[in-house]
Amino acid sequence: AAFTNPKCQRMWDAKLAQYIALRDAHRQVVCVNGKGLVYPEKFTKDFHNYNEDEIVDYSKSARKGKGAIKGPQTLPYWQRATYDAWWPEWMCEDTQRIPIRLLGDGAKWMCGLDVLERIESPLVYSLGCNGDVMWEMDVRKRMPRAEMHVFGPITHKGWGTKVKQVIDPVNISLHEIWVHSKPAMDESNFPVQSLPKIMQQLQHETRVIDLLKVDLERTEWALFTDILANCRVRFRHLNVLLHGVDCKEHERFFALLDQCQYMITYKETNHWGCFGFLCVEYTIVSLAHAQAEFAMSHGCE
């Protein structure tokens, strides 16, 4: 939508042009055989001299016995570089970490949370919580009018009673189902449903998900391939933990985001696991949400 204030429109146009130039520069990368990322020859020759067969040996630092580091002991360059092509390109001026006072894993970086708080009845979906609902509880404090739903089996790990005791009093609904597909490591009999089907059952099929959080232990790739096809499920703000180093999955995912006009606004390596690069957190927003956040930050509403 256009701004009525000419100065606001000029500032928006300039920032959007900067974003497009930065995004297009990043998208020059090519995924080769699902293994390695390569930039065009001139860029690679001028700025990079990486050896794709280079190996980093972590075996000396890996501890043994209790508390031992679990994961690959030798890590080739192409694995470590998988996430290097997709960086924040939209600079969000209202960025907050939720929960603010939280040490450890679980907090998320949010863009334009003040915009989301002003929605009359925002819709919040959390896909996968692994028994940890600190983020959901903090969102509830910030967005008391939100309709909130948490999806993911938790009782088979013994967390069900504890989680329900926390979320039931604040009107957060728990649905013990796998969304889209079941993780390979899971052997439970909990049902599996697609996100469009879930939205239909909850009578949300015509709504935009205002705040979507996804942590699905590698099944996120198939989920997004489904819901981003023809942009069939819309959301304003996405926090997602991506897993793995198959650059074909990454290439497909970010291409679909571009087609549906979503923007990367934050990226955080997960230093609590995954060696800091085997899984990475992203904050992604829709073009409409980016414009609303811009308008609020610049007094252009």
Side-chain angles (χ1 to χ4, degrees), residues 41-301:
E41 179 64 26
K42 187 176 78 168
F43 187 89
T44 303
K45 182 178 179 182
D46 290 349
F47 298 101
H48 295 280
N49 293 305
Y50 291 133
N51 176 2
E52 292 192 14
D53 295 323
E54 175 192 356
I55 300 294
V56 173
D57 187 357
Y58 283 89
S59 58
K60 292 182 180 179
S61 62
R63 301 185 300 272
K64 295 182 179 180
K66 186 177 181 181
I69 297 174
K70 296 180 180 179
Q73 297 302 307
T74 55
L75 306 170
Y77 154 74
W78 64 264
Q79 284 186 315
R80 291 178 286 125
T82 300
Y83 291 91
D84 282 0
W86 293 283
W87 290 91
E89 293 135 1
W90 180 258
M91 301 303 129
C92 179
E93 295 173 67
D94 173 23
T95 301
Q96 303 177 50
R97 187 174 185 265
I98 303 298
I100 297 174
R101 296 175 61 86
L102 175 63
L103 299 177
D105 197 9
K108 308 293 180 185
W109 286 95
M110 314 288 294
C111 168
L113 187 58
D114 290 345
V115 173
L116 296 173
E117 290 175 351
R118 293 170 60 174
I119 298 173
E120 181 61 32
S121 181
L123 182 60
V124 180
Y125 275 25
S126 175
L127 313 186
C129 73
N130 204 25
D132 181 353
V133 291
M134 287 186 288
W135 178 84
E136 288 81 0
M137 292 299 293
D138 208 66
V139 169
R140 168 54 81 208
K141 292 178 183 178
R142 298 290 301 264
M143 303 167 67
R145 299 187 306 273
E147 180 180 348
M148 298 185 63
H149 299 268
V150 177
F151 302 88
I154 55 175
T155 54
H156 71 295
K157 291 189 175 182
W159 291 316
T161 301
K162 181 188 73 172
V163 169
K164 288 179 180 179
Q165 287 175 346
V166 172
I167 67 175
D168 283 352
V170 294
N171 196 29
I172 299 176
S173 301
L174 173 64
H175 309 265
E176 293 208 68
I177 58 176
W178 292 115
V179 180
H180 191 80
S181 55
K182 184 183 297 187
M185 74 287 288
D186 183 75
E187 297 180 354
S188 68
N189 294 318
F190 287 97
V192 177
Q193 289 188 351
S194 70
L195 185 56
K197 183 66 174 179
I198 291 170
M199 295 182 71
Q200 183 182 36
Q201 291 176 346
L202 295 175
Q203 299 182 337
H204 296 156
E205 64 268 31
T206 61
R207 294 188 62 179
V208 174
I209 301 174
D210 296 294
L211 184 49
L212 176 62
K213 189 203 82 172
V214 177
D215 183 357
L216 292 177
E217 306 299 335
R218 286 196 59 84
T219 65
E220 67 273 6
W221 303 110
L223 167 72
F224 285 110
T225 298
D226 178 39
I227 69 173
L228 292 176
N230 300 316
C231 312
R232 61 189 300 209
V233 173
R234 301 294 304 184
F235 50 83
R236 298 183 191 277
H237 188 292
L238 168 68
N239 288 98
V240 59
L241 179 60
L242 299 178
H243 300 79
V245 293
D246 183 343
C247 60
K248 275 297 181 187
E249 292 178 324
H250 296 72
E251 194 174 50
R252 184 185 311 111
F253 170 68
F254 287 105
L256 288 169
L257 288 176
D258 290 343
Q259 291 172 17
C260 295
Q261 295 187 307
Y262 290 109
M263 303 163 153
I264 307 171
T265 188
Y266 203 88
K267 174 183 178 182
E268 180 182 23
T269 57
N270 189 339
H271 61 273
W272 288 95
C274 313
F275 286 89
F277 69 91
L278 292 175
C279 58
V280 174
E281 300 261 9
Y282 279 92
T283 302
I284 294 161
V285 298
S286 68
L287 177 62
H289 182 69
Q291 187 173 28
E293 185 275 331
F294 172 87
M296 179 176 285
S297 297
H298 290 84
C300 295
E301 297 174 285

